[in-house]
Amino acid sequence: MDSFTPLTAALGGSLIGLATAVLWLGNGRIAGISGIFGQLLPPAQTVVWRLVFVIAMVSATFVAARLLPGIGMGGDVPAALVEAPAAWGIPTPVWLAIAGLLTGIGTKIGNGCTSGHGVCGLARLSRRSLVAVLVFFGVAMLTVAVTGIV
């Protein structure tokens, strides 16, 4: 993380806060991505808004990466997926699939994800969310220390 930019971080955080507030006020739902995504298959009664939310989230990320290349990446470096550590000998697609699977298992065990606990839960002063966020960040720091990916 050689190019932290407070302006883009504040803008991104504000947009996340705005999106969660709009979802809460407009739909009465917490913006926990694992819960929203997890209810798509098998389809819940409320699949339409969940599908719209996920498509909008992915589309906005794609559009932002194309319209604002290099924002937060340092100059003209285009946005890209993280590469698997070369020393481990695991292909990047396999690495990403394993990471996604472990993330899904963790959100099921933790009864939520970083967006649900970190953004919405902490805003509601939930002790359970505080513990979950501390565990998330502790494991993230340990993972960075072990893999050397920054």
Side-chain angles (χ1 to χ4, degrees), residues 5 90 114:
T5 53
I90 301 171
T114 53

Side-chain angles (χ1 to χ4, degrees), residues 51-115:
L51 195 57
V52 169
F53 188 90
V54 171
I55 290 170
M57 182 177 60
V58 172
S59 299
T61 304
F62 180 79
V63 168
R66 296 299 177 258
L67 292 178
L68 305 168
I71 294 292
M73 300 294 290
D76 295 328
V77 178
L81 292 175
V82 67
E83 295 289 327
W88 289 36
I90 301 171
T92 298
V94 174
W95 177 262
L96 292 174
I98 292 169
L101 181 65
L102 290 174
T103 301
I105 291 169
T107 60
K108 192 68 171 170
I109 292 170
N111 200 22
C113 59
T114 53
S115 57

Side-chain angles (χ1 to χ4, degrees), residues 35 95 134 139:
W95 177 262
L134 292 174
V139 170

